[in-house]
Structure formats: C-alpha cells, structure tokens
Amino acid sequence: MVFTRSGASGDEQPTLRLTPIMISAHAGYFEGEAGMASADNRGFMSNAGFVITPDGVVVFDALATPALARAMLAAIAERTDAPVRHVVVSHYHADHVYGLQVFADAGATIWAHEAGKAYLDSDAATERLAERRESLAPWVNADTRLVPATRWLTLAAGDVHTLTLGDRQFEIIGGGGAHAPGDLMLRVPSEGVLFAGDLFFTGRIPFVVDGNTAAWLTALETIAQADASVVVPGHGPASTAVSDDLRATQTYIRYLRSHLGEAVNNMMSFDEAFASIDWQAFSVMPLFDAAHRRNAYSVFLELEAESLQ
C-alpha cells in the first residue's frame, strides 16, 4: 500500500503514512493514485518530490491535503535529520498546494511564479476550497488555508532561476503558462532528475483544460532538452523512457490542435467537430472518459481565439 491510516473520528484528520519512491541517491517522490481526487483516495492523486542535501531538503509541491503534507514531512524525516528549507510550487492547483501550510508552519521558504497571485485572489480559488471541504472532508476542512509564496518569481518560458542549498544547485524553470498560469519545473543536475509538475503526465490523458497547448508543446521541448535521466510528472509514475513518454503527450496535443484547428477553419461548431473526429487511438488511455471531451472543448476555444488574432 502507498499509505496507511490510523483511526480518528469527527473532523479530525487521521494520520497517513506515505512511502517515497527513490529515483536517485538523494531524490525521491510520492506517487498519487490514478484518478480524480475523492474521499476514497483521500485526495492522494498527484505527485510531489524531494531532494536531500547535507544542508536541508528541497521539496517540489505539497500534495492535496495538510494530512498528506504531514505524511510527506514524516517520511522525509525518516531519511534525514535535515529540515525542509524550500518548497517549489509547480502551479496553484488544489491537488498540489493544499499541503503548503504544513511546510510554511515548519519554516520552509515557499517559491512560486507570480502568476499564482491572481489565482489566490480569485473567486475560483475560494469556490474550489469550499468544494474540497465538502468532497474531501475531513482531509480538507475549516483549518485548511491557501498559502501564498514567500518568494514570487517572474520567469518566462524556459527562463531559469538558480537556487543554491549548500553545495547543490537547483534550477527553477519557467513553464510558460502551458498547463496553468505560473507553471514551474525543478531540475536537479547533480541527480539527473527533473520534476515537471503537470506539464508532463505519464500513462494517462493529460489535463489541458484552461491551458495553452501551443505553449505546452514548447514546454515539452524544454523537458526533452533538460538532459534528465528521470522525469517526475505531476501525475503518474516517474519516467525513465523520457522521449517515449513525451511523445505520447505531444502526439495527443498535436492531434487535438490539428483536427480541431481544421474544424475551426471550416466554421464547424464544437459538437459537430467532436462527433466527426476519430478519437479511437486515445480512447484506451486512462481518464479518457473523464478528461478528453473537456480537453477538446478547451482546445477548440483556444484555436478559435488564435484564428481571430
């Protein structure tokens, strides 16, 4: 089992235990279950990573609940006495940031792209938190709060901010707002590891709703050029066959853009376009039924906007 729990009642958050998957001598990650966030999976359906140095730990993302973040801290503490010094946020989506309060309360510096500020101030953020307090209770409850970064970064696509901890260097890379405003990745050259967040999915349909697929293809090229032996996605198992796994996502996005772009040029409605396109090649991929139509509609709107420019 990936996690275990001890008993609790009422609004208390039961204790979870997470087991990390080590991908290099000093780097590991916690792999969430496939699927959407639910009470059954305790919201554990995304990934988060960490890198241990002699002077402290750098964490990438904070998972979807404070209980999961506490389990992360406990699992890391079993491997090192060094404290968590930094947390890099891939983007401000609920399944990656609701654990941030645990790391902030422990004294970690939170790094994020400045585009995350707009989300934190939005009605969408308030509504999502209210929804998760219902759907993920008691894992998300009245004590769960949205946490801003302590260090906001301004990074265009492919731009790099170097973070040094002791004798180790970490590269925080701008993702260009491909999946969400404020996408960031984290490259660890000494470990041959790249944490890609939701710019990279393995073994499932990516979630491109509200993203920018033109920018996404550029971000995938950045991942391909990162010279990483292991790439940790935001969802799914870590990839050691990086080129093959990238190609799967690239193929899907290019197919969406090509066929829906033709429909836009032909002035078709979305329903007409969706019904006329052969999606069979992707229908066997996990979460196709849950995500694909929404993906297609989002890309259709994106391409309509492009056609007017």
Side-chain angles (χ1 to χ4, degrees):
M1 293 291 291
V2 177
F3 56 74
T4 57
R5 63 173 285 187
S6 63
S9 60
D11 291 330
E12 297 178 27
Q13 292 183 344
T15 300
L16 300 181
R17 179 177 176 83
L18 296 181
T19 302
I21 300 169
M22 299 305 295
I23 50 177
S24 73
H26 305 104
Y29 79 109
F30 302 93
E31 183 184 331
E33 297 184 348
M36 310 298 284
S38 68
D40 288 340
N41 62 28
R42 287 84 160 170
F44 187 37
M45 37 66 73
S46 59
N47 298 342
F50 65 93
V51 182
I52 298 170
T53 83
D55 296 290
V57 180
V58 176
V59 164
F60 187 79
D61 278 344
L63 296 181
T65 72
L68 287 168
R70 283 192 290 272
M72 282 179 62
L73 268 180
I76 293 169
E78 291 179 357
R79 294 183 171 269
T80 178
D81 293 331
V84 174
R85 301 286 189 189
H86 303 281
V87 179
V88 178
V89 178
S90 67
H91 62 297
Y92 269 92
H93 280 177
D95 52 327
H96 299 271
V97 300
Y98 280 9
L100 279 178
Q101 65 190 66
V102 173
F103 294 102
D105 290 347
T109 299
I110 312 297
W111 298 77
H113 195 287
E114 69 170 2
K117 294 177 182 178
Y119 176 77
L120 290 176
D121 293 335
S122 70
D123 291 339
T126 302
E127 291 166 1
R128 170 61 75 179
L129 181 56
E131 183 276 324
R132 289 292 166 93
R133 283 172 172 159
E134 292 289 333
S135 65
L136 288 183
W139 312 102
V140 177
N141 60 24
D143 294 327
T144 306
R145 65 185 191 274
L146 292 169
V147 174
T150 46
R151 294 289 302 273
W152 294 104
L153 297 172
T154 303
L155 293 176
D159 284 356
V160 175
H161 176 88
T162 300
L163 171 65
T164 301
L165 185 59
D167 62 352
R168 307 282 176 83
Q169 286 194 335
F170 299 80
E171 296 177 355
I172 304 174
I173 305 170
H179 171 76
D183 287 317
L184 294 176
M185 297 181 280
L186 181 68
R187 180 172 177 258
V188 193
S190 63
E191 302 298 314
V193 170
L194 176 74
F195 296 99
D198 280 2
L199 295 171
F200 187 46
F201 291 68
T202 58
R204 54 160 283 185
I205 288 284
F207 188 70
V208 305
V209 174
D210 297 329
N212 182 290
T213 53
W216 203 321
L217 290 172
T218 299
L220 292 173
E221 286 299 325
T222 299
I223 295 172
Q225 296 167 13
D227 192 29
S229 301
V230 183
V231 177
V232 179
H235 301 265
S239 173
T240 55
V242 179
S243 295
D244 291 341
D245 288 332
L246 282 174
R247 193 177 301 112
T249 300
Q250 289 168 327
T251 298
Y252 176 68
I253 291 176
R254 286 171 178 157
Y255 193 91
L256 286 170
R257 288 184 61 84
S258 173
H259 287 75
L260 290 170
E262 183 178 351
V264 168
N265 290 337
N266 290 332
M267 305 293 289
M268 297 174 69
S269 70
F270 171 72
D271 287 338
E272 290 172 328
F274 190 83
S276 69
I277 297 170
D278 182 2
W279 304 112
Q280 185 173 357
F282 308 102
S283 63
V284 297
M285 296 178 68
L287 294 185
F288 177 86
D289 291 339
H292 173 64
R293 186 180 178 90
R294 293 180 64 195
N295 283 346
Y297 183 62
S298 180
V299 174
F300 184 83
L301 295 180
E302 177 188 343
L303 295 171
E304 278 192 327
E306 286 184 14
S307 72
L308 298 175
Q309 294 176 356

